[in-house]
Amino acid sequence: MRKSILTLAAAALMAGAAHAETATYAMDPTHTFATFEIGHFGTSTNRGRFDKKEGSVQLDRAARTGKVEVSIDATSINTGTEAFNKHLQSAELFDAAKYPTIKFVSDKFSFSGDKVSEVSGSLTLLGKTLPVTLKASQFNCYNSPMLKREVCGGDFETTIDRTAFGMNYGIDWGFPKNVHLVIQVEAVKQ
């Protein structure tokens, strides 16, 4: 009996120690970018980014677990051309007046060794939520000499079928349905 109580106590301490490893990170907006790429009549690639984004990450590297929540302001789309920005914000595409927030939420992190290799979660776009997996092309944590705190982040990417979210503009003209998303993120330990 004494042995089983000690075993339970040790397991509880180990679980508590693993939980204590979880750290919270706030996304650094100056080093975090959400961009997209889509073909244009098979000739070139249209690119854009969202200038306003925020989020947080909880990461436990020892337990290889994490959570992330990212909110992107659809009205902050920036292609470098104001007329194109307005068209992208219109009801034909992002419908930013009706759906001002794009959101990604995940509590499933996959690791390769001690580095995050992918994050699987849900993307909400145009009021519809679908599963999405972001693959890490690189991931690292470092001690920032300027902030004097740990920073973790990487480059993550995926390709989505925009028509699955109801974004059908230009399909009849030959615009592709697939959109490549690239999320560059750095988050500062709190």
Side-chain angles (χ1 to χ4, degrees), residues 102-122:
I102 301 166
K103 193 166 209 159
F104 178 74
V105 177
S106 171
D107 64 359
K108 185 174 183 221
F109 284 32
S110 297
F111 285 74
S112 177
D114 65 345
K115 296 188 182 277
V116 176
S117 58
E118 64 182 37
V119 178
S120 299
S122 300

Side-chain angles (χ1 to χ4, degrees), residues 58-145:
Q58 291 181 359
L59 182 63
D60 184 336
R61 288 183 286 174
R64 295 193 169 123
T65 60
K67 293 181 181 181
V68 63
E69 186 170 315
V70 180
S71 293
I72 298 169
D73 181 345
T75 67
S76 73
I77 199 161
N78 185 349
T79 62
T81 305
E82 191 59 34
F84 191 27
N85 295 346
K86 288 192 183 304
H87 184 236
L88 288 167
Q89 290 175 20
S90 77
E92 290 181 319
L93 291 157
F94 285 95
D95 201 358
K98 186 173 181 182
Y99 303 104
T101 304
I102 301 166
K103 193 166 209 159
F104 178 74
V105 177
S106 171
D107 64 359
K108 185 174 183 221
F109 284 32
S110 297
F111 285 74
S112 177
D114 65 345
K115 296 188 182 277
V116 176
S117 58
E118 64 182 37
V119 178
S120 299
S122 300
L123 178 67
T124 302
L125 174 66
L126 295 173
K128 189 167 188 178
T129 303
L130 295 171
V132 169
T133 298
L134 299 170
K135 296 193 183 283
S137 59
Q138 57 185 355
F139 179 86
N140 188 44
C141 294
Y142 67 95
N143 288 315
S144 170

Side-chain angles (χ1 to χ4, degrees), residues 176-188:
K177 64 181 183 176
N178 289 334
V179 178
H180 185 224
L181 303 176
V182 179
I183 312 296
Q184 168 195 334
V185 62
E186 289 193 25
V188 181

